[in-house]
Every structure is written in C-alpha cells, then in structure tokens.
Amino acid sequence: MDAPDPRVPLTGDLALSVQLDRVAAEARGNHRLLFLEHLPDDTFALWARAKAIAEPDDVAYIHLLPSGRGVVSGVITGLEVDGDGLDDDLNTVLFGRALVLVAGLDNARKHLGGRPFDWLDWAATALPLMVASTVDATPFVRRLGRHPVAVDQILNGRFSGTAAQLADRAIKSSRENP
C-alpha cells in the first residue's frame, strides 16, 4: 500500500482544513497578526505546506525549528528552504506574499529566546501573517499588543473565554505594563 501524500490532509483533518481555509481567506490582504490557538501542529504544518506549494506566488510557509540543521524551514516561492535565521534575505523573500503561514513558534522561542519576538514585531507591520500557536497565544499577543492582533481559537473549546476575549485581555495588559 502506498504511503499517503504528506501534502494532502487526511479525511479526518478535512474539518480543520475547512476552518483553516476560512481563516486564511479572512486574513488575506490584511496586515495583521493572526494566532490560531491550540492547533495540532502537524495538521497545520501539512495544510500550510500544501497551501504554499499550491499557491507559490501568494503564500509562503515557514516552520521555526527548536533545533536541527537550520532554524527556519518551509516552502517559499514554491521552493523548499532550510536556513539559519530570520534575516533580511528571508524578510525580502517573504515581503510581497499575500499570506505568510508560520508554525513552530512556541517551540522555537524556547530555543531562540527573544529572536522570534523581534521577527514577529517586524512581520506584524510588514506582512499579512498567520501564526499557528500550539499552546496559549497570550505570551505572543501580550508582547505584540501594539500591533493589530487577531486570535482565532480552533477546535478546542474547553479553555475559558473566547479568542477575542483573550486578545482583548492581552492587548490591555501590554498597554498597561509595557
């Protein structure tokens, strides 16, 4: 039996893919930071990679790695990339995409310290950005509260409050405690 194509979501992931497609459509064309909370990282990565391969002129996908050969991997302008950092070359390539999909942020920040926040600060003003956070997005929203921030909680309704309430609390907190 042939192994399934890793770029194609499995049938069980179709409901998530539909939700992600909706959120991506809403994010497109808007310069805002969008966090998707409590999302299965592998599912998001498969969906984002497939989207970047299918729409290479409009969509880029990057995965921030906590360790390994490079710090950044993904699909940008249809090409597989693997690199050492969030540098000007990467920013130049990402600029002009209609949507930049980012995964692995919560794990990468453990390895990279504040660098992902510095990059997100730049990206929040320069890119229409969609970020999947597999844990609570509050630390990211709080640090970047001065930017237009949207939070969309997908699949996991057992956490208290709505995504909009989380964003509102985090933005208020960042303004009160810079």
Side-chain angles (χ1 to χ4, degrees), residues 7-31:
R7 297 170 297 172
V8 178
L10 300 174
T11 307
D13 298 330
L14 288 180
L16 177 59
S17 293
V18 168
Q19 289 182 59
L20 289 169
D21 284 336
R22 176 192 55 79
V23 172
E26 291 172 6
R28 218 174 256 247
N30 296 312
H31 289 267

Side-chain angles (χ1 to χ4, degrees), residues 158-178:
R158 72 175 196 257
F159 296 94
S160 63
T162 66
Q165 289 169 334
L166 167 70
D168 191 45
R169 283 195 312 269
I171 291 167
K172 266 187 205 161
S173 173
S174 71
R175 289 185 178 145
E176 291 168 1
N177 307 303

Side-chain angles (χ1 to χ4, degrees), residues 126-154:
L127 301 172
L129 191 66
M130 181 168 161
V131 178
S133 179
T134 57
V135 295
D136 186 8
T138 303
F140 302 102
V141 177
R142 182 176 294 125
R143 288 277 302 265
L144 299 168
R146 69 174 197 250
H147 298 290
V149 176
V151 178
D152 198 342
Q153 189 167 350
I154 291 184

